[in-house]
Amino acid sequence: MTSAIGRDGKGAGALAGNAVTALAVSPAFDRDPIVFAATMAGLFRSVDAGTSWRPFGERESASPLSAVAVSPGFAEDGELLVAGLAGGVSRVTGGGAWTAGDFQGRPVAVTALVMSPEFMRDGTAFAATMADGVFVTRNRGAMWEAGRFGLLDLDVTALAISPSFPSDETIFAATATGVFRSPNGGRAWREVGQPAEGAVVQSLAVSPEYGTDGVLYAGTEQAGLFRSADRGVTWQPSGPALRDACVNAVVLSPAFSVDHTVVIATESAVYLARDAGATWSRRAEAPGALCLAFSPTFTSGGPVLVGLEEHGVLRLTGALTDWTPERPLG
């Protein structure tokens, strides 16, 4: 089932006409069905799995937002990090209070956020910026320091963190010139294999079993999706039919190692693959799709949410077995 959310009078209407730049789902979604949306009109929250939305927090008229990340311990700490194109990163508590982080007194334009899987314990998170590389906080967003030694391109478009980060300290950064990997928590970076010559990498996703399978995906601006099975050293196109696509977002099923499911958003549609990306089906029209989010209950029918450039949030529901291909692609 497909529904477009963003036109009624329950707060969702404010999403329409404003780009939804990032979506983040509560880790306890099956119990609390909470979703956050970063938009050009501030931060919004849904408490009904993305069906309706309301402005959230004391800064609901904030400057345009570019990223949002929910604490893995959200059910206990109620915390999230929210980033803006001009306002750095703020820590937001469950009650909606905002506290701005300190980027060493510098104004930064943040493009992406990721948190350590143990954020509740280690307080570690990373922020990608448009011209200043990557910043890291180790105290829950209060203070941020540059982590860009070896990062040859400081215009960072996306981040992806290893699910085993507390032990392997691995994080990836996408740039206009390629993909970089840090094996030590952002202290130093090294360029890994380039997915496609001259193609801007703008989205990344790491396998939930990265520690054992070494799989990650990179979506490019105009060369489609690429897959690496050796931790980014070499890359192969993922589905020849998408080789010219602009891939704005890629997410992997929480059970990827079993169901091999990948969902991507291009600038015009949502595609589904059940074979790790070898073949694709066009699942929904999504004009201006910018971002994606899965619920942790995705494999049992939880929604897939798609943030759009002008029309709010597209909500896709139904078990995977009900997602019959609308337009098969080889």
Side-chain angles (χ1 to χ4, degrees):
M1 179 178 178
T2 301
S3 62
I5 309 299
R7 300 185 184 280
D8 62 27
K10 299 178 181 178
L15 289 179
N18 290 290
V20 178
T21 54
L23 293 162
V25 174
S26 165
F29 182 87
D30 58 332
R31 299 191 300 275
D32 65 21
I34 293 175
V35 188
F36 291 93
T39 81
M40 290 292 103
L43 182 66
F44 287 76
R45 181 179 67 171
S46 171
V47 296
D48 53 12
T51 301
S52 61
W53 300 83
R54 292 188 181 279
F56 182 74
E58 60 192 30
R59 289 181 54 188
E60 54 192 55
S61 297
S63 58
L65 300 180
S66 55
V68 57
V70 176
S71 167
F74 181 77
E76 297 177 55
D77 62 24
E79 293 184 8
L80 55 150
L81 297 177
V82 179
L85 291 174
V89 178
S90 292
R91 176 183 169 208
V92 184
T93 63
W98 293 56
T99 304
D102 181 2
F103 280 74
Q104 302 170 338
R106 301 172 58 184
V108 294
V110 175
T111 56
L113 290 168
V114 292
M115 287 178 166
S116 161
E118 294 292 334
F119 177 81
M120 190 172 172
R121 177 184 60 81
D122 61 27
T124 299
F126 296 87
T129 72
M130 291 183 70
D132 295 290
V134 176
F135 282 78
V136 59
T137 178
R138 305 188 197 279
N139 59 1
R140 312 178 78 82
M143 302 288 294
W144 296 81
E145 59 184 20
R148 58 193 184 198
F149 179 79
L151 193 62
L152 304 179
D153 188 340
L154 300 183
D155 189 1
V156 182
T157 54
L159 296 171
I161 194 167
S162 166
S164 303
F165 177 82
S167 58
D168 66 25
E169 293 195 302
T170 297
I171 182 169
F172 291 88
T175 75
T177 56
V179 178
F180 291 78
R181 180 180 63 209
S182 171
N184 55 9
R187 295 175 181 86
W189 299 83
R190 175 174 293 181
E191 188 172 11
V192 294
Q194 190 173 19
E197 186 71 29
V200 175
V201 177
Q202 56 188 18
S203 55
L204 291 171
V206 173
S207 165
E209 301 296 329
Y210 173 81
T212 55
D213 64 24
V215 170
L216 64 151
Y217 289 79
T220 69
E221 187 175 33
Q222 53 189 251
L225 182 70
F226 290 79
R227 179 180 186 268
S228 173
D230 55 11
R231 307 181 193 280
V233 177
T234 61
W235 299 84
Q236 297 77 39
S238 184
L242 296 176
R243 64 178 178 269
D244 297 324
C246 174
V247 181
N248 288 327
V250 52
V251 289
L252 308 185
S253 164
F256 175 77
S257 62
V258 175
D259 62 30
H260 310 298
T261 296
V262 187
V263 179
I264 66 169
T266 72
E267 58 191 353
S268 60
V270 176
Y271 294 86
L272 169 73
R274 296 197 186 97
D275 52 10
T279 57
W280 296 86
S281 61
R282 187 180 180 111
R283 286 303 309 130
E285 300 301 316
L290 296 176
C291 56
L292 283 172
F294 273 168
S295 74
T297 56
F298 168 73
T299 52
S300 60
V304 175
L305 302 175
V306 188
L308 305 176
E309 189 173 14
E310 295 183 355
H311 301 294
V313 175
L314 185 69
R315 190 171 183 269
L316 305 175
T317 59
L320 280 176
T321 53
D322 297 329
W323 280 32
T324 46
E326 290 180 354
R327 197 175 304 178
L329 295 174

